[in-house]
Amino acid sequence: MLHRYLRLLGVRLRASSLLAMQYRGDFLIDGLISIFWTATTLVPLFVVFQAQQQNIEGWTFGESLLVIGWFTLLQGILEGAINPSLTGVVEHIRKGTLDFVLLKPADAQFLVSTERFLPWRAINVVAALSIFVYGFHLLGRTPSPVGVLVSLVLLGTSVLLLYSLWILTVAAAFYVVKVDNLTYFFTSIFDAARWPAPVFRGVLSFVFTFVIPLAVMTTFPAQAMLGRLPWTSLLWAVVGSILFAFISRRVWLRAISRYTSASS
């Protein structure tokens, strides 16, 4: 079963790559635009540190760059692998074409989650690695092997959290037709993940840690690379991401069970 789904994922990745490279000029322009938007994520950080000169809430410029690096990496995954497919679910529901997905001999959530990819967003991976290298160069050190291993585990939990939050958002389309504003709102909220979590206090600190766990997605991996993430935080991140995935799966199955075709 797993082998079958991996083959299907490979086929869809290849189809998305061929479609993106069908018009090479557009492919290159989209890649350049992606580089431009990646560079703009650094601008607010430069502005703040020019004013503060030293650090923000105990985070130096070099340490904050690690958070930006994780934000850039996850932004690429969100906009290149998660967003393109799942936003198509809303159109499927409006037009009644979700029927064709449900009739196929494969899990519907897998099919709608792998429908389309934007390969040029892979530039974010290169940009994130460059930011990591520059950040550690400013810090005058390198990450420990354990820190790298833990941060890779947290990359998995972060992607799972992002995907689960998007499934929960898209599931709302089964109950209300227009959820475009909700998806734009979530994208705007995700922009806050570029800042270290201690910047946010009070209610925002609680929301960005437990409700929309942005701190777990970018600050925790940066802390792991710096070797100062408590093991209890790693444990809670893993347990929390699995819990989010379980809840989103149950919500998706319940939403599908209430779906009635718009074409009938």
Side-chain angles (χ1 to χ4, degrees):
M1 180 66 75
L2 178 62
H3 179 66
R4 178 186 169 207
Y5 277 95
L6 287 175
R7 282 188 60 190
L8 184 55
L9 177 62
V11 169
R12 293 198 154 199
L13 279 170
R14 186 183 174 195
S16 293
S17 300
L18 292 174
L19 182 63
M21 290 187 287
Q22 186 176 7
Y23 303 100
R24 295 183 180 179
D26 291 347
F27 183 81
L28 292 175
I29 290 174
D30 288 332
L32 290 174
I33 291 175
S34 181
I35 292 173
F36 171 77
W37 284 116
T38 300
T40 59
T41 61
L42 296 171
V43 174
L45 194 66
F46 280 108
V47 172
V48 168
F49 273 93
Q50 277 186 346
Q52 299 279 340
Q53 296 296 325
Q54 294 181 348
N55 63 72
I56 51 172
E57 297 298 331
W59 284 73
T60 65
F61 181 70
E63 293 168 345
S64 299
L65 278 177
L66 301 184
V67 179
I68 289 280
W70 282 103
F71 170 77
T72 303
L73 180 59
L74 290 176
Q75 189 182 42
I77 294 173
L78 175 65
E79 296 180 359
I82 297 176
N83 197 341
S85 294
L86 292 183
T87 51
V89 177
V90 180
E91 288 301 314
H92 277 311
I93 295 172
R94 283 179 185 167
K95 298 176 180 176
T97 53
L98 189 66
D99 303 22
F100 301 111
V101 177
L102 297 177
L103 290 173
K104 291 178 180 175
D107 183 78
Q109 184 176 341
F110 177 84
L111 291 176
V112 299
S113 301
T114 58
E115 189 169 295
R116 187 182 175 215
F117 298 95
L118 302 180
W120 59 79
R121 296 301 304 193
I123 195 72
N124 281 56
V125 177
V126 179
L129 292 175
S130 302
I131 293 172
F132 289 149
V133 170
Y134 183 55
F136 276 105
H137 170 71
L138 293 179
L139 294 172
R141 50 170 292 192
T142 57
S144 66
V146 175
V148 173
L149 182 61
V150 172
S151 62
L152 289 176
V153 173
L154 288 169
L155 173 61
T157 63
S158 301
V159 173
L160 192 57
L161 284 170
L162 262 182
Y163 174 71
S164 301
L165 288 170
W166 258 105
I167 287 292
L168 291 173
T169 304
V170 168
F174 288 93
Y175 301 93
V176 290
V177 176
K178 194 171 181 60
V179 295
D180 296 18
N181 293 336
L182 194 59
T183 57
Y184 293 145
F185 174 73
F186 176 77
T187 305
S188 300
I189 289 291
F190 181 68
D191 278 345
R194 75 179 66 204
W195 300 103
V199 170
F200 305 101
R201 297 179 180 176
V203 175
L204 283 180
S205 176
F206 177 82
V207 170
F208 290 158
T209 303
F210 298 103
V211 182
I212 306 174
L214 302 182
V216 179
M217 298 179 194
T218 55
T219 302
F220 278 23
Q223 286 179 313
M225 295 178 88
L226 293 168
R228 62 190 194 199
L229 180 74
W231 287 103
T232 51
S233 297
L234 173 63
L235 177 63
W236 280 115
V238 173
V239 172
S241 63
I242 294 174
L243 181 62
F244 261 84
F246 175 77
I247 293 173
S248 67
R249 176 66 177 175
R250 299 306 304 173
V251 169
W252 169 263
L253 292 176
R254 184 175 178 79
I256 284 288
S257 69
R258 294 171 62 90
Y259 171 70
T260 54
S261 170
S263 61
S264 63

